[in-house]
Amino acid sequence: QIGEEIHNLMGVADEVYSTFGMKLRIRLSYRDDSDSYLGDLKLWEHSQKRLREAVIANNLDYFEQEGEAAFYGPKIDFMASDALGREHQVATVQLDFVQPERFGLTYVDNEGKEQQPVMIHCAILGSIERFLRVFIEHTGGWFPFWVAPEQIRILTINDDVLSYAEKVKSVLDQVVLSQPVRFNQLRVTIDGRKESLSKKIREATAFKIPMQIILGAKDRDQDKVSIRMQNSEL
């Protein structure tokens, strides 16, 4: 069942990180020749072979690296690149034959015989704070529209269109997104300050707001809006 379970976990990791737009490659993390690891060497060789087989069966881009294993077993580490091309480990799936033996863990199989289980450690996001750090680096701060803290900022050219801005916002407030998060309402603000439009655009861009709606008298009179997109992925 090892191959099947690892296949399922890799599917979860792929779904999560493809949702965030993060392309992954696999690092197979093996033991080295040091005394830092527990368990029989032949068991390690068997474990590392099973992980390699699982990755190859899933047709994944991978590389192998010695000395990166956990003390109890080899790992599949999912590596993501940030906006500067640096690689960070994100998700991990770890195969553990050692600790079930050390803890004396057993289960009864279909034939009524006691067997020793294999433990699989899995962290999809790991530390949320660490994941967010990598995600911010990956996007350069330009979050996908669905996850941006402020998705839309309405910019008014002058005070004459403030009431129209409120009307536009009320319409957007009623929009419910279905993908990728159900019942997710749009996050919209209005910048109605008595500042130049160019300054409002600069500040909205500095805050990396993916969509700006610019409203002037012509937009109001035609019951339309002018949209400025900041992220080419939208």
Side-chain angles (χ1 to χ4, degrees), residues 115-212:
Q115 302 285 353
Q116 182 178 293
V118 175
M119 184 180 294
I120 298 178
H121 305 253
C122 179
I124 298 299
L125 291 180
S127 163
I128 297 299
E129 292 82 3
R130 183 179 181 279
F131 167 76
L132 285 175
R133 176 183 67 80
V134 175
F135 185 53
I136 291 169
E137 292 284 349
H138 167 71
T139 60
W142 284 108
F143 289 162
F145 181 82
W146 67 274
V147 78
E150 184 179 349
Q151 296 169 313
I152 303 172
R153 182 174 292 185
I154 300 172
L155 312 178
T156 59
I157 292 179
N158 52 48
D159 291 349
D160 295 339
V161 293
L162 280 175
S163 59
Y164 183 57
E166 292 289 349
K167 176 184 176 182
V168 172
K169 184 177 184 300
S170 68
V171 172
L172 293 172
D173 286 341
Q174 298 175 46
V175 175
V176 177
L177 304 180
S178 60
Q179 296 292 338
V181 181
R182 291 183 178 276
F183 311 115
N184 181 27
Q185 290 186 313
L186 291 170
R187 296 179 285 280
V188 187
T189 62
I190 296 175
D191 187 349
R193 297 174 300 160
K194 294 182 179 180
E195 299 285 356
S196 67
L197 179 61
S198 60
K199 181 176 181 179
K200 293 179 180 180
I201 290 175
R202 282 198 309 273
E203 291 183 0
T205 303
F207 278 97
K208 301 184 184 296
I209 298 166
M211 181 184 292
Q212 301 164 20

Side-chain angles (χ1 to χ4, degrees), residues 13-191:
D14 179 67
E15 180 177 354
V16 169
Y17 286 93
S18 62
T19 299
F20 283 105
M22 301 175 75
K23 186 178 180 180
L24 300 175
R25 72 172 184 150
I26 302 299
R27 181 180 71 194
L28 290 174
S29 299
Y30 300 152
R31 65 168 293 167
D32 53 27
D33 295 330
S34 70
D35 297 326
S36 304
Y37 307 96
L38 301 177
D40 181 70
L41 181 59
K42 290 185 178 180
L43 193 57
W44 273 86
E45 292 173 350
H46 174 70
S47 303
Q48 292 173 178
K49 180 181 178 182
R50 296 301 296 273
L51 287 188
R52 188 187 305 111
E53 290 172 348
V55 168
I56 292 174
N58 283 273
N59 196 30
L60 297 174
D61 178 22
Y62 77 95
F63 66 101
E64 299 170 304
Q65 188 165 344
E66 293 185 351
E68 291 293 334
F71 70 89
Y72 48 75
K75 302 185 295 176
I76 296 175
D77 291 323
F78 294 80
M79 313 297 291
S81 297
D82 63 24
L84 299 178
R86 299 170 299 186
E87 275 195 327
H88 305 267
Q89 179 195 329
V90 282
T92 182
V93 176
Q94 305 172 4
L95 199 56
D96 183 358
F97 286 89
V98 174
Q99 294 194 97
E101 180 181 6
R102 288 168 62 87
F103 283 103
L105 302 180
T106 61
Y107 69 96
V108 177
D109 65 15
N110 293 335
E111 298 178 358
K113 298 178 180 179
E114 278 199 349
Q115 302 285 353
Q116 182 178 293
V118 175
M119 184 180 294
I120 298 178
H121 305 253
C122 179
I124 298 299
L125 291 180
S127 163
I128 297 299
E129 292 82 3
R130 183 179 181 279
F131 167 76
L132 285 175
R133 176 183 67 80
V134 175
F135 185 53
I136 291 169
E137 292 284 349
H138 167 71
T139 60
W142 284 108
F143 289 162
F145 181 82
W146 67 274
V147 78
E150 184 179 349
Q151 296 169 313
I152 303 172
R153 182 174 292 185
I154 300 172
L155 312 178
T156 59
I157 292 179
N158 52 48
D159 291 349
D160 295 339
V161 293
L162 280 175
S163 59
Y164 183 57
E166 292 289 349
K167 176 184 176 182
V168 172
K169 184 177 184 300
S170 68
V171 172
L172 293 172
D173 286 341
Q174 298 175 46
V175 175
V176 177
L177 304 180
S178 60
Q179 296 292 338
V181 181
R182 291 183 178 276
F183 311 115
N184 181 27
Q185 290 186 313
L186 291 170
R187 296 179 285 280
V188 187
T189 62
I190 296 175
D191 187 349

